Amino acid sequence: MPNRPGERLDRRDFMIASVATIGASAGLVANASSANAQGSPTSAAGASFATVYTGDVIQGKKVVSALDLDDLEPGRKHLLYFQGVEMPTGQHWYVSVTVAKGAKPGKRVVLVSGVHGDEMSSVQTVQTVMNQLDPARMSGTVMAVTDVSRAAMEGMQRRWPNAGRGIDLIDMNREWPGNENGPTAPSRHAGLLFNRLLRPNADAAIDFHTGTTGFEVTAFNIAGMDVPEVRAMVELYPVGQIFDNHVYPGVLHNAFMDVGIPAFTPEIGAARVLNLEMIGPFVEGTMNVLKHYGVVAGPMGRTGKDVSVFVGNSAFPILATEGGLVEHLVRLNDKVEPGQKIAIQRNSFGEVVAEYTSGVAGAVTGQRSDAMAEPGNPLVFILFHKDAPDRSETYPE
Ligand SMILES: [Zn+2]
């Protein structure tokens, strides 16, 4: 390339112009609305924002970049898009927000699904609850956000394909409460949602999940049962297992708990499919929670008292030690004893290369559903009671 003085000058002019443009953009952003001032003291403190309509309308739904439920008209449903983080192309990821705003004031319950993109029964559970609500007869508000991890949901996969150094797959349920100025799109997306949509509008929150692709679970709730407000909600579910454990930081329900909002995580069967038999009891339990808070009137449905509930505070993992095909010898919800053989594994010749036994007395909570496994893969989780439970358990919720 020739290296003429004029060309260098052009290049320098271009760079100066770019800096000026960036400065102008930053000014515009700062002036657009307080809600766009990322990392401002207000957002760090988690204070509520006034509703900000961006002016965009997508498929007939208005777009907001911050929401205060008090700004919505009572006695009706509102369908909105919340403007999440930007994609590499500069457009935004929008998440679907359904608000059933009661005619009378009352508690605000937030229902979330789609933090993992392959967990479809969680979405249908939330939608079914919302479709049963009549805001004209409600005292309080229910807000549903059904597709939090939009980038992951588009591919119906667990994790968010983030354009970092090439594609990273990021588990969004390790990112909460997020950071509006974080190093990845999922971290920023989590921060925007938590600060401007979820936290300011929640008196209680439920973050619905299922097992993950290749690993099926039974119906159960993950909850810190030592917290009375949480226990009161979870006991209203006619669901057969409770994993009484605070699990680990970064999951959405713990981000709510950390700021004093009672929250827990239901788990509804296998990923990728709709399990209607399991969805029903979770809908019933969630309607019970809304009755418990006085948002919805009417008699309680079935609760935990109407089914036999197995409560454990620890999940015993059985990991593959070999590669090969895994055959399960027990089924989800089966009670198992220490030493009981629960799976065998064969190599490509059909020879048995491993036999797996339970180390505890408990109930089968999850099983690998992909038949092939390599060493280290979780094959089975057994829910059991441990006298001195770990405060922070690894569980692929
Ligand atoms: Zn999940």
Side-chain angles (χ1 to χ4, degrees):
M1 288 271 292
N3 194 11
R4 298 190 302 269
E7 188 170 307
R8 285 203 301 274
L9 185 64
D10 289 347
R11 183 168 168 74
R12 190 187 61 186
D13 285 347
F14 172 72
M15 290 171 71
I16 290 170
S18 297
V19 169
T21 306
I22 291 165
S25 305
L28 279 174
V29 167
N31 290 333
S33 74
S34 62
N36 279 334
Q38 297 199 342
S40 66
T42 21
S43 76
S48 69
F49 293 94
T51 300
V52 177
Y53 289 95
T54 66
D56 295 322
V57 176
I58 299 175
Q59 295 175 319
K61 317 277 195 301
K62 288 181 181 172
V63 176
V64 296
S65 58
L67 182 65
D68 181 348
L69 292 175
D70 288 344
D71 296 335
L72 299 180
E73 184 190 335
R76 56 171 285 236
K77 286 188 182 172
H78 302 264
L79 309 184
L80 302 165
Y81 277 118
F82 180 85
Q83 179 178 281
V85 74
E86 274 187 37
M87 307 177 200
T89 52
Q91 296 190 354
H92 292 266
W93 289 110
Y94 298 99
V95 302
S96 310
V97 181
T98 306
V99 178
K101 172 125 185 215
K104 295 177 188 161
K107 291 281 189 185
R108 303 163 306 162
V109 179
V110 170
L111 310 178
V112 178
S113 63
V115 171
H116 289 132
D118 58 347
E119 303 184 353
M120 314 331 294
S121 288
S122 64
V123 178
Q124 175 115 340
T125 301
V126 174
Q127 290 174 345
T128 306
V129 170
M130 296 308 290
N131 286 338
Q132 291 185 8
L133 299 179
D134 177 3
R137 301 170 59 192
M138 285 167 50
S139 302
T141 300
V142 184
M143 179 173 79
V145 185
T146 47
D147 48 10
V148 165
S149 199
R150 274 292 308 278
M153 285 193 83
E154 297 297 348
M156 209 166 77
Q157 63 181 357
R158 178 178 174 87
R159 293 174 295 176
W160 180 302
N162 180 66
R165 300 171 185 86
I167 291 293
D168 309 316
L169 292 172
I170 294 183
D171 188 332
M172 199 160 174
N173 216 23
R174 301 294 179 274
E175 295 290 332
W176 304 97
N179 178 351
E180 294 187 11
N181 296 303
T184 67
S187 171
R188 290 179 178 230
H189 190 67
L192 291 168
L193 263 71
F194 196 72
N195 295 335
R196 298 159 193 267
L197 179 69
L198 300 174
R199 177 184 178 178
N201 293 304
D203 296 316
I206 309 173
D207 180 29
F208 294 84
H209 285 252
T210 74
T212 194
T213 298
F215 194 89
E216 185 173 358
V217 302
T218 188
F220 69 107
N221 287 304
I222 303 174
M225 296 292 278
D226 56 327
V227 180
E229 297 90 337
V230 172
R231 183 184 198 98
M233 287 194 278
V234 171
E235 288 184 337
L236 295 175
Y237 282 75
V239 167
Q241 290 189 16
I242 295 171
F243 181 18
D244 174 14
N245 192 287
H246 284 263
V247 294
Y248 26 80
V251 301
L252 177 54
H253 83 256
N254 276 338
F256 280 115
M257 294 286 284
D258 289 344
V259 295
I261 299 166
F264 64 98
T265 289
E267 295 278 350
I268 314 169
R272 307 190 75 81
V273 298
L274 293 183
N275 188 324
L276 298 178
E277 283 176 20
M278 285 191 191
I279 287 170
F282 282 102
V283 170
E284 195 168 0
T286 306
M287 292 303 292
N288 288 342
V289 168
L290 298 179
K291 290 166 187 168
H292 165 73
Y293 282 121
V295 176
V296 169
M300 285 282 173
R302 293 175 304 153
T303 70
K305 288 186 180 135
D306 299 306
V307 298
S308 80
V309 182
F310 183 88
V311 183
N313 60 6
S314 190
F316 181 81
I318 293 173
L319 306 181
T321 57
E322 314 290 330
L325 280 170
V326 175
E327 180 183 342
H328 292 291
L329 305 178
V330 293
R331 292 191 293 185
L332 291 174
N333 289 314
D334 279 0
K335 300 290 193 309
V336 298
E337 294 300 324
Q340 182 176 339
K341 198 189 297 181
I342 56 168
I344 59 174
Q345 191 175 25
R346 297 181 180 88
N347 65 12
S348 297
F349 300 95
E351 299 169 302
V352 173
V353 292
E355 294 186 340
Y356 300 96
T357 56
S358 177
V360 295
V364 178
T365 291
Q367 283 181 318
R368 185 175 174 84
S369 49
D370 282 356
M372 288 288 278
E374 60 190 15
N377 290 155
L379 301 180
V380 182
F381 276 99
I382 299 168
L383 186 63
F384 74 109
H385 181 80
K386 197 177 192 179
D387 287 335
D390 298 323
R391 287 296 295 172
S392 180
E393 289 234 4
T394 300
Y395 175 81
E397 84 300 317

